Amino acid sequence: MQTLHVELGDRRYPIFIGSDLNPQSLLEPYIHGKQVMIVTNTTVKPLYLDHYISAIERLGKTVATCILPDGEKYKNIEHLNLIFDALLAAGFNRDATVLALGGGVIGDMAGFASACFQRGVYFIQVPTTLLSQVDSSVGGKTGINHPLGKNMIGAFQQPQVVLADMAQLNTLPDRELSAGLAEVIKYALLGDLDFLTWLEANMDGLVGRDATLLAEAVYRSCAHKARIVANDEKEQGERALLNLGHTFGHAIESYLGYGVWLHGEAIATGMVMAADLSQRMGWISLVDVERTKKIIQRAHLPVKCPAIPLDEFLGFMAHDKKVLNGQLRLVLMKSLGQAVISKEFDLELMKQAILTNQEKA
Amino acid sequence: MQTLHVELGDRRYPIFIGSDLNPQSLLEPYIHGKQVMIVTNTTVKPLYLDHYISAIERLGKTVATCILPDGEKYKNIEHLNLIFDALLAAGFNRDATVLALGGGVIGDMAGFASACFQRGVYFIQVPTTLLSQVDSSVGGKTGINHPLGKNMIGAFQQPQVVLADMAQLNTLPDRELSAGLAEVIKYALLGDLDFLTWLEANMDGLVGRDATLLAEAVYRSCAHKARIVANDEKEQGERALLNLGHTFGHAIESYLGYGVWLHGEAIATGMVMAADLSQRMGWISLVDVERTKKIIQRAHLPVKCPAIPLDEFLGFMAHDKKVLNGQLRLVLMKSLGQAVISKEFDLELMKQAILTNQEKA
């Protein structure tokens, strides 16, 4: 087992990364009150819920559960309210802990609920998908979607501890494993050319679910994110680099409707568009773009999105949170493995980058 | 005009207290982006909305509005969502400012919305009731109610600036003026015997809406709260003293249904119950209890609540946020003008204090 600490002063917390982790001993120091609400979904429930209930009850805690339907389309205010209902029906107080057992949607919703319930209770994350292990484990971003935009409502809420268990990835569908690899690739593209080379050497093993390779990929991704977040918790600057591919990706997700494409799939194509625009700006080479596409394809991820009318695509981009004072900022690549935040891009070139990486209508 | 600074490090902000304040000049330094969403209600809208729209538009800002129905019963997740709808429909971004123009309900909802929208945008408060001027202006507590409990969902969100304009109190109904005086009296009872003496000398003038006296009462109340909050922003200790009368009061409000009694009215009777229990514990005298009741009555506030079955009253108290690890903590008075947080009270004496200060069934 490897341990990574996210350095956030008095909110410093550990991420435990390994296989077949023991939740009872690992969680014990991090549950401060007597009440634990496990939030999970209907897919994860039959696989892992009983294991965690037993472990936490053996610690002498009161456990209650809130089972949500599975899917991004339920990441809304109505389903958030079900968590509040469950917390209040159980009579839970300010010293309660909300434990997220599931993927990114569960982590976002349970985390946001824990930030708001009684103006803030404790939060623990047990991410059960590769994407949530590398993305949601670090950073404290929680929230829900709104019909007019993704993640528009939320809070920064840091967990007490994160358990990332590679054994749980064995039950993950192939498509979701690939979606997680999209975020892994993102860390390489935005700031670590060595990691990109490592991924090129090991992508087949990762797709084949080699637990040692997966743990290494999770560790390196989380370490990257932890370093960036420790420097910039509230996303005033450097942290925005983590949104490589996301402004394009969010537009794809919004147009298709949440949940049609997985987040990681949309981000994958979004990264191709970002690379393409970076090349058109003269910052990276065509070879770099091809290398970007190749590693994405080897992770079984899409490099083109369905045909989307350009005005609608741009409309969704304008709703992105990275718009500041009406000015769109994009995360692009100054060189391969080195992302920058830029509002200096050419709008016409951006349109070409979008259109080129779509299926023909 | 008096200015009080709430000292919260890099979130330090001023409260401007006076009559006929000029919003254009006072707000200008505190609106950072280009977009301002004014949240108000149907009662305040015809009185003051146009004045603020004009002032802010003269600053070159884009103004949008969200008009909510008036009343505590609308302080729920459905109406909170209307603010998010308005923000997104207006295309507002992370640099937006949400301005609360109204009483405590509007302040709580607009503040909570500003804390959650895009995981946090700017917030400005223009409290238009005496209660919100002395209570919501300081402390950063925002939130909404849940059918199972008051203020159960929320966030700590500090404003950029607060404008407390005594001229706006001229349109306040008598009953709401009195409800505000309940919180003013609270500051005297919990920590300032001199202020209690001042209130005893000036209560008739306050009830008669003397603007100079009201400004002085608001300044002294806010100064008390600001000092306590600066010491204990997240309510780990001393800040809980501000809940004098609130655990009893919340039970009264919850039983009667939100909005039947005003918050200040419930707190007034709650403070009588707290004083009564403090006397039964041998901490204050019967004369102190009578002095407490007298100043509350002179503010035209109730010293008894309607008959409420004891088991239901206790049930609502058990849902209070001051329950920690299942242990109810009450704010009582060790002496008149000196409140303490105590879990050492006698349950039987507490029941007597509740029953004595109810109407007969």
Side-chain angles (χ1 to χ4, degrees):
Chain A
M1 186 184 81
Q2 292 181 281
T3 305
L4 179 72
H5 281 95
V6 182
E7 300 296 344
L8 290 167
D10 60 356
R11 282 163 297 119
R12 178 181 196 262
Y13 68 90
I15 304 174
F16 298 116
I17 302 165
S19 273
D20 295 311
L21 301 175
N22 177 346
Q24 187 181 342
S25 62
L26 290 174
L27 293 180
E28 182 170 24
Y30 301 99
I31 301 176
H32 303 297
K34 293 203 173 92
Q35 303 163 330
V36 179
M37 172 65 65
I38 304 180
V39 179
T40 190
N41 67 30
T42 47
T43 304
V44 176
K45 176 181 182 289
L47 299 171
Y48 304 115
L49 180 60
D50 287 348
H51 181 56
Y52 284 86
I53 291 177
S54 310
I56 295 166
E57 285 184 340
R58 282 196 298 273
L59 295 172
K61 310 291 180 182
T62 302
V63 180
T65 60
C66 176
I67 319 294
L68 299 174
D70 185 10
E72 176 94 17
K73 69 181 169 202
Y74 302 108
K75 198 173 112 171
N76 56 30
I77 203 162
E78 291 76 20
H79 288 83
L80 176 75
N81 208 22
L82 296 179
I83 308 179
F84 297 133
D85 291 346
L87 284 161
L88 283 159
F92 277 16
N93 306 128
R94 290 172 104 159
D95 56 343
T97 295
V98 177
L99 186 150
L101 177 67
V105 171
I106 289 295
D108 280 3
M109 295 184 73
F112 186 36
S114 78
C116 297
F117 182 62
Q118 312 243 14
R119 297 197 192 92
V121 296
Y122 298 108
F123 178 41
I124 287 176
Q125 271 184 293
V126 182
T128 58
T129 66
L130 179 59
L131 188 139
S132 58
Q133 287 174 350
V134 298
D135 190 40
S136 319
S137 301
V138 188
K141 280 192 183 178
T142 67
I144 55 174
N145 298 326
H146 183 280
L148 293 179
K150 216 173 125 63
N151 294 320
M152 283 289 154
I153 302 159
F156 287 94
Q157 169 80 337
Q158 304 298 341
Q160 301 295 307
V161 59
V162 177
L163 262 58
D165 194 328
M166 299 307 121
Q168 291 171 348
L169 300 184
N170 289 326
T171 52
L172 196 66
D174 288 342
R175 197 177 154 198
E176 292 205 34
L177 188 82
S178 291
L181 288 170
E183 293 279 350
V184 172
I185 292 166
K186 184 189 77 176
Y187 291 103
L189 293 178
L190 73 85
D192 190 345
L193 203 54
D194 286 347
F195 189 30
L196 181 60
T197 305
W198 185 88
L199 288 174
E200 288 170 336
N202 294 292
M203 186 51 78
D204 297 344
L206 290 166
V207 170
R209 298 177 197 244
D210 178 307
T212 307
L213 290 176
L214 284 170
E216 179 67 14
V218 169
Y219 184 90
R220 287 178 77 153
S221 298
C222 288
H224 265 291
K225 186 164 183 183
R227 185 184 49 71
I228 291 171
V229 168
N231 287 339
D232 180 21
E233 187 182 354
K234 293 290 173 69
E235 195 164 343
Q236 307 298 310
E238 183 183 0
R239 183 162 177 174
L241 296 179
L242 296 173
N243 292 312
L244 178 63
H246 281 58
T247 303
F248 296 108
H250 283 172
I252 298 169
E253 282 184 287
S254 299
Y255 177 81
L256 295 177
Y258 296 137
V260 176
W261 266 27
L262 296 176
H263 177 69
E265 293 167 341
I267 296 323
T269 301
M271 290 190 293
V272 172
M273 290 176 178
D276 190 317
L277 176 53
S278 303
Q279 187 274 321
R280 288 171 198 270
M281 296 294 294
W283 296 342
I284 68 173
S285 69
L286 280 170
V287 172
D288 292 334
V289 176
E290 286 311 309
R291 215 175 142 186
T292 301
K293 285 189 191 175
K294 182 78 182 168
I295 194 71
I296 287 170
Q297 287 174 313
R298 285 184 58 204
H300 304 167
L301 287 161
V303 294
K304 277 182 190 282
C305 67
I308 299 174
L310 190 58
D311 56 340
E312 295 197 44
F313 200 106
L314 298 177
F316 282 116
M317 288 180 82
H319 273 295
D320 193 88
K321 285 195 297 302
K322 279 150 309 278
V323 174
L324 197 67
N325 271 323
Q327 171 74 60
L328 184 64
R329 296 174 300 155
L330 283 179
V331 184
L332 299 174
M333 281 183 265
K334 265 290 175 188
S335 63
L336 193 66
Q338 194 202 338
V340 290
I341 301 148
S342 177
K343 52 185 182 184
E344 307 301 318
F345 57 88
D346 184 292
L347 187 61
E348 283 309 309
L349 296 180
M350 184 179 88
K351 291 178 184 172
Q352 291 171 27
I354 294 168
L355 290 170
T356 303
N357 297 289
Q358 290 191 359
E359 306 290 350
K360 298 292 167 267
Chain B
M1 187 183 81
Q2 293 180 282
T3 305
L4 179 73
H5 282 94
V6 182
E7 299 296 344
L8 291 166
D10 60 355
R11 282 164 297 118
R12 178 180 195 262
Y13 67 90
I15 304 174
F16 298 117
I17 302 164
S19 273
D20 294 310
L21 301 175
N22 178 345
Q24 188 181 342
S25 62
L26 290 174
L27 293 179
E28 183 170 22
Y30 301 100
I31 301 176
H32 303 298
K34 293 205 175 90
Q35 304 164 329
V36 179
M37 172 65 66
I38 304 180
V39 179
T40 191
N41 66 31
T42 47
T43 304
V44 175
K45 175 181 182 290
L47 299 171
Y48 305 114
L49 180 60
D50 287 347
H51 180 56
Y52 283 86
I53 291 176
S54 309
I56 296 166
E57 283 184 343
R58 281 196 299 271
L59 295 171
K61 310 292 180 180
T62 302
V63 180
T65 60
C66 176
I67 318 294
L68 299 174
D70 184 12
E72 175 94 17
K73 69 180 172 208
Y74 302 108
K75 198 173 113 172
N76 56 31
I77 204 163
E78 291 77 19
H79 288 82
L80 177 75
N81 207 23
L82 295 180
I83 307 178
F84 297 133
D85 291 347
L87 284 161
L88 284 159
F92 277 17
N93 305 131
R94 289 171 104 161
D95 57 343
T97 295
V98 177
L99 185 151
L101 177 66
V105 171
I106 289 295
D108 280 3
M109 295 183 74
F112 186 36
S114 78
C116 297
F117 181 62
Q118 311 243 15
R119 298 196 191 93
V121 295
Y122 298 108
F123 177 42
I124 288 176
Q125 272 184 292
V126 183
T128 59
T129 66
L130 179 59
L131 189 140
S132 59
Q133 288 176 348
V134 297
D135 189 40
S136 319
S137 301
V138 188
K141 281 193 182 177
T142 66
I144 54 174
N145 298 325
H146 183 282
L148 293 178
K150 216 174 126 58
N151 293 320
M152 282 291 154
I153 302 158
F156 286 94
Q157 170 79 336
Q158 303 297 341
Q160 302 295 306
V161 60
V162 178
L163 262 57
D165 194 330
M166 298 308 118
Q168 290 171 347
L169 300 184
N170 288 325
T171 53
L172 197 65
D174 288 343
R175 196 176 155 199
E176 292 205 35
L177 187 83
S178 292
L181 289 171
E183 294 279 350
V184 172
I185 293 167
K186 183 189 78 176
Y187 290 103
L189 292 177
L190 73 85
D192 191 345
L193 203 55
D194 286 344
F195 190 31
L196 182 60
T197 305
W198 185 90
L199 288 174
E200 288 170 335
N202 294 292
M203 186 52 77
D204 297 345
L206 290 166
V207 170
R209 299 176 195 243
D210 178 308
T212 308
L213 290 176
L214 284 169
E216 179 66 17
V218 169
Y219 185 89
R220 287 177 78 154
S221 298
C222 288
H224 265 291
K225 187 164 182 183
R227 185 184 48 72
I228 292 171
V229 167
N231 287 339
D232 180 21
E233 189 182 351
K234 294 290 173 69
E235 195 164 343
Q236 308 297 311
E238 183 185 359
R239 182 162 178 173
L241 296 179
L242 296 172
N243 291 311
L244 178 64
H246 280 59
T247 303
F248 295 108
H250 283 174
I252 297 170
E253 282 184 286
S254 299
Y255 176 81
L256 296 178
Y258 296 136
V260 176
W261 266 29
L262 296 176
H263 178 67
E265 293 167 338
I267 296 323
T269 301
M271 289 191 292
V272 172
M273 289 175 177
D276 189 318
L277 175 54
S278 302
Q279 186 274 322
R280 288 171 199 270
M281 296 293 293
W283 296 342
I284 68 173
S285 68
L286 280 170
V287 172
D288 293 333
V289 176
E290 285 311 307
R291 216 175 141 186
T292 301
K293 284 189 191 176
K294 181 79 182 168
I295 194 70
I296 287 171
Q297 285 174 312
R298 284 184 60 203
H300 303 169
L301 288 161
V303 294
K304 278 181 190 282
C305 67
I308 299 174
L310 190 59
D311 56 340
E312 293 196 47
F313 200 107
L314 298 176
F316 282 115
M317 288 181 80
H319 272 294
D320 192 88
K321 286 197 296 302
K322 269 121 359 240
V323 174
L324 197 68
N325 271 321
Q327 171 76 59
L328 183 63
R329 297 173 301 155
L330 283 180
V331 184
L332 300 174
M333 280 184 266
K334 265 290 176 188
S335 62
L336 192 66
Q338 194 202 338
V340 291
I341 302 148
S342 176
K343 54 184 182 186
E344 306 302 317
F345 56 87
D346 184 291
L347 187 61
E348 284 309 310
L349 296 181
M350 185 179 88
K351 291 179 185 171
Q352 290 171 26
I354 294 168
L355 290 171
T356 303
N357 297 289
Q358 289 190 359
E359 306 290 349
K360 298 294 165 270

